[in-house]
Amino acid sequence: MKKIPVWFDCDTGVDDAIALLVLRQLDELEVIGVSTVAGNVELEKTTENTLRVLDLCKAPYPVYRGASRPMVRDQITAAAVHGEDGLGGIVLPPASRGVEAAAAWDALYQAARAYAGELVLVAVGPLTNVGLTLTKYKDFPGLLKRVVIMGGAAVGGNTSPAAEFNIFADPEAAAMLFDAGVQVAMCGLDMTMKAYLTAEELDALGDTGTRQARFARACLQRALAYELSLKLPGISLHDPSAVMYAVDDSMFKTHPAWVRVETKGKITYGKTVTDLYSDKKKEPRDHLVVVDVDREAFKARLFELFDRYRA
Ligand code: BDR
Ligand code: CA
């Protein structure tokens, strides 16, 4: 089986951490590099968290430090959900290694050139590193096979009434990506909030007993409590569901659509505007909006991937 070369960009973060643990077990993928960005917490923390989680799953992927600030707007974080440390207060041993010398945008571009026409970019944080790569390297979009993001929503938002966190944290960067001429598969809240585990299911995952599963249960507790306080049914696994989509879309429902990002609106700043549910269709309908997931299949796959840590 020929593996899919993947670049993973993240702002680790509790669900990014689970996405890294999932990524590690997906034999279909060859992870070429991982880049970090400021988002859920500050860059130094997202970078150290990424390295620590990669130690936890013995993943030797090279890690590149990315942007510490959004392209234009003031920085925001989501520490209220992920904890001040970004890992829900769960302290992993200090990382055994540091980052590579190259900056994220240079390394990502070099990977895109080395795997021209093949590289799949999976980005699950604010899109600052991607925006900077697009700014610096004009041929970058044409080198990518596809882009999968966790971000946005056709309907609603979790950071403002109109906007999802990853897009709201850097709308100008996100706008550049949706305008770049490469297809973006948008794993937004429409789908990712259906990819949840109830408290009992998360307990059952932890009970499988591996270090990785026990870490997953522990680090998600704070975010779970936050989501339950909003009367949601469980903890949404936003970033892991986007990673799973990148490998196999068979358990997901996806529609082609026109999607662009609002960067001027006072109330709608950071909204991913799509014609998906509109009578007014717009050309080009060049992106994909992932709207649904078979939760039972998602859960089964998640447990199966974590079971591999028993070996
Ligand atoms: C997204 O925002 C972050 O808090 C999560 O890690 C996820 O990528 C959900 O809106
Ligand atoms: Ca994230």
Side-chain angles (χ1 to χ4, degrees):
M1 176 184 62
K2 191 166 186 301
K3 295 195 178 212
I4 307 167
V6 162
W7 189 279
F8 189 66
D9 186 76
C10 56
D11 62 327
T12 315
V14 295
D15 61 322
D16 307 67
I18 311 308
L20 286 165
L21 296 176
V22 164
L23 194 69
R24 174 65 168 139
Q25 294 299 346
L26 287 167
D27 299 332
E28 301 89 334
L29 303 181
E30 182 187 358
V31 179
I32 308 302
V34 173
S35 49
T36 61
V37 66
N40 287 319
V41 286
E42 298 78 6
L43 179 67
E44 288 315 310
K45 294 178 189 167
T46 62
T47 305
E48 177 66 16
N49 290 346
T50 301
L51 289 162
R52 289 184 183 194
V53 174
L54 290 178
D55 275 352
L56 177 67
C57 61
K58 297 191 172 62
Y61 316 142
V63 176
Y64 300 87
R65 186 187 278 114
S68 62
R69 290 260 179 280
M71 291 184 81
V72 176
R73 66 157 299 154
D74 292 340
Q75 185 172 20
I76 59 163
T77 67
V81 181
H82 297 259
E84 286 301 325
D85 62 351
L87 290 183
I90 305 306
V91 183
L92 289 172
S96 62
R97 61 187 173 119
V99 293
E100 306 298 313
W105 36 92
D106 295 328
L108 170 55
Y109 176 67
Q110 290 308 333
R113 285 188 56 150
Y115 294 87
E118 285 181 68
L119 190 72
V120 176
L121 169 60
V122 181
V124 299
L127 291 159
T128 319
N129 290 338
V130 179
L132 292 170
T133 313
L134 290 166
T135 306
K136 188 164 177 185
Y137 301 105
K138 297 300 171 204
D139 60 338
F140 175 57
L143 297 170
L144 295 169
K145 179 163 189 200
R146 63 197 291 242
V147 180
V148 175
I149 66 161
M150 188 288 129
V155 177
N158 63 358
T159 307
S160 80
E164 179 279 333
F165 177 79
N166 288 338
I167 307 297
F168 191 69
D170 197 339
E172 286 75 15
M176 288 182 69
L177 174 63
F178 280 96
D179 272 334
V182 58
Q183 185 180 68
V184 179
M186 183 173 98
C187 295
L189 300 174
D190 317 282
M191 179 278 280
T192 64
M193 291 187 66
K194 295 172 189 155
Y196 66 85
L197 290 185
T198 65
E200 295 71 28
E201 289 161 352
L202 180 57
D203 266 347
L205 183 69
D207 284 344
T208 61
T210 61
R211 286 177 65 212
Q212 295 81 5
R214 285 186 284 122
F215 166 77
R217 172 171 59 189
C219 89
L220 289 171
Q221 289 304 316
R222 182 193 175 104
L224 170 68
Y226 175 82
E227 296 219 346
L228 293 178
S229 78
L230 300 177
K231 305 268 180 277
L232 294 168
I235 174 71
S236 306
L237 295 179
H238 304 285
D239 297 348
S241 60
V243 169
M244 284 194 207
Y245 172 84
V247 172
D248 175 9
D249 63 5
S250 61
M251 68 176 91
F252 298 89
K253 199 181 282 174
T254 304
H255 298 295
W258 177 90
V259 185
R260 295 295 183 270
V261 178
E262 177 59 73
T263 58
K264 300 276 183 273
K266 265 192 195 157
I267 302 171
T268 53
Y269 186 48
K271 180 174 174 58
T272 44
V273 180
T274 167
D275 69 350
L276 189 57
Y277 301 117
S278 170
D279 291 343
K280 298 291 175 200
K281 298 301 178 200
K282 268 183 87 77
E283 293 299 330
R285 306 191 83 216
D286 50 359
H287 297 304
L288 296 173
V289 180
V290 186
V291 295
D292 202 2
V293 59
D294 175 342
R295 192 178 86 89
E296 291 304 318
F298 169 77
K299 223 170 54 185
R301 181 87 164 121
L302 185 77
F303 273 74
E304 186 241 311
L305 291 169
F306 268 87
D307 264 353
R308 297 183 189 183
Y309 282 111
R310 290 179 200 259

